[in-house]
Amino acid sequence: MDEKFEQQLKYIGLRGVIANWDHYMQIAEQGNFSPVRLLTYVVEQEFNIKHENARKRRVSHAKIPEPYEIETFPFDRQPKLNRKKVLSIYDSFDYMLKQHNIIWIGPTGTGKTGLATAFLTQAINKGYRGKFILFPELVETLYQSIADHTESKVLKTFASYDCLLIDELGFIEIEPVQVGLFFTLMHKRHKTKCTLITSNLGFEEWETFLKNAQLTAALLDRLTECSHVINMNNCVSLRSKLETV
């Protein structure tokens, strides 16, 4: 490839053409493609490369600790889980198209995070921006933003994600200012973005860590207005138990 031509391709961002140049030249020399068909093929390949690279960047930015896919979830080991409901929500994709929230409630180890991650991953693969974050990390980040006066910027960042997965809600008690910031974030996302939440606690127990009856009621009102609630309280732990000697 001519050096000047290569630099031009780099400048306009067609690095896929550079990487596959020899392959394209081989196709051209074989003469099986018309000029139009060859050009179309090259453009399609470049599009696919850019599309896949963008998807990988979104996955990386989401900071998903463990990748899960709905196809590998062991539904057969969770007979008390409403499989039909879960798959119906997943397949319809309404949680993204209509900005519906999904809340998984149940004991530790039942697969809440795995399912929520599968939903987040689907959204990312379909072109949406997503983020995975533990609830303690989220409220700590919001709290720290007060010290350096960046709470507006931080709230805007978390409010902007098309799909935000908040994992393990309720593991810690939080300060009143953190409750206020968390409520503000959920208010900003209300009916505009999809929020996925996992929690060990039932809704009637959320006041135990939020420590504010009015805000808890207002929060639940917003979260559940356009939400699917997946009850996994009767599900069993999927985690292997260590044998004791």
Side-chain angles (χ1 to χ4, degrees):
M1 179 187 296
D2 179 80
E3 185 177 345
K4 180 180 179 181
F5 184 50
E6 182 176 345
Q7 292 302 318
Q8 291 173 336
L9 289 173
K10 287 181 179 179
Y11 182 78
I12 60 177
L14 297 179
R15 295 183 179 273
V17 174
I18 298 172
N20 294 285
W21 182 254
D22 291 341
H23 172 60
Y24 297 149
M25 289 302 96
Q26 183 180 9
I27 293 176
E29 290 170 1
Q30 290 172 349
N32 295 327
F33 281 27
S34 68
V36 173
R37 185 182 174 195
L38 177 59
L39 180 59
T40 301
Y41 175 76
V42 171
V43 171
E44 287 176 346
Q45 294 304 305
E46 185 67 20
F47 172 82
N48 291 336
I49 291 170
K50 286 184 174 294
H51 187 270
E52 177 60 16
N53 287 340
R55 186 194 69 81
K56 288 179 179 178
R57 286 193 296 270
R58 291 194 302 273
V59 170
S60 177
H61 181 77
K63 302 295 183 184
I64 299 172
E66 293 185 68
Y68 291 99
E69 295 180 352
I70 199 73
E71 292 79 8
T72 59
F73 186 83
F75 284 102
D76 57 320
R77 296 172 58 193
Q78 287 295 22
K80 296 295 181 66
L81 174 63
N82 191 335
R83 176 177 184 171
K84 184 177 180 180
K85 177 180 179 179
V86 172
L87 293 179
S88 176
I89 298 169
Y90 182 89
D91 292 337
S92 71
F93 203 55
D94 279 354
Y95 67 101
M96 292 303 303
L97 299 177
K98 297 181 179 180
Q99 293 83 47
H100 289 171
N101 302 320
I102 311 177
I103 305 171
W104 286 266
I105 294 177
T108 299
T110 53
K112 301 186 303 297
T113 299
L115 285 170
T117 299
F119 277 72
L120 173 61
T121 300
Q122 179 182 222
I124 292 172
N125 287 341
K126 288 181 178 287
Y128 293 89
R129 293 177 62 249
K131 181 73 172 179
F132 179 106
I133 191 165
L134 292 168
F135 178 68
E137 181 183 350
L138 173 62
V139 293
E140 180 61 23
T141 300
L142 293 172
Y143 189 64
Q144 289 178 354
S145 71
I146 298 174
D148 52 16
H149 307 289
T150 59
E151 58 264 38
S152 295
K153 180 180 179 181
V154 172
L155 282 169
K156 183 178 179 180
T157 296
F158 282 106
S160 69
Y161 289 111
D162 300 312
C163 188
L164 178 64
L165 197 172
I166 304 173
D167 195 32
E168 298 183 354
L169 188 145
F171 266 68
I172 60 169
E173 291 186 7
I174 55 180
E175 300 296 327
V177 65
Q178 293 173 303
V179 176
L181 288 170
F182 179 63
F183 176 81
T184 300
L185 173 60
M186 293 299 98
H187 177 71
K188 287 179 176 292
R189 296 183 60 82
H190 183 53
K191 290 186 176 181
T192 63
K193 304 290 183 181
C194 168
T195 303
L196 310 175
I197 292 176
T198 73
S199 178
N200 284 10
L201 303 178
F203 293 141
E204 70 281 358
E205 300 175 277
W206 283 25
E207 189 183 336
T208 61
F209 67 92
L210 293 173
K211 300 294 185 181
N212 186 314
Q214 290 183 327
L215 271 182
T216 300
L219 175 64
L220 288 173
D221 180 65
R222 283 163 175 75
L223 280 179
T224 59
E225 182 181 1
C226 300
S227 295
H228 302 283
V229 178
I230 310 298
N231 187 341
M232 300 181 69
N233 280 314
N234 294 323
C235 294
V236 298
S237 177
L238 299 173
R239 294 175 182 167
S240 300
K241 293 181 171 58
L242 294 176
E243 294 183 4
T244 56
V245 180

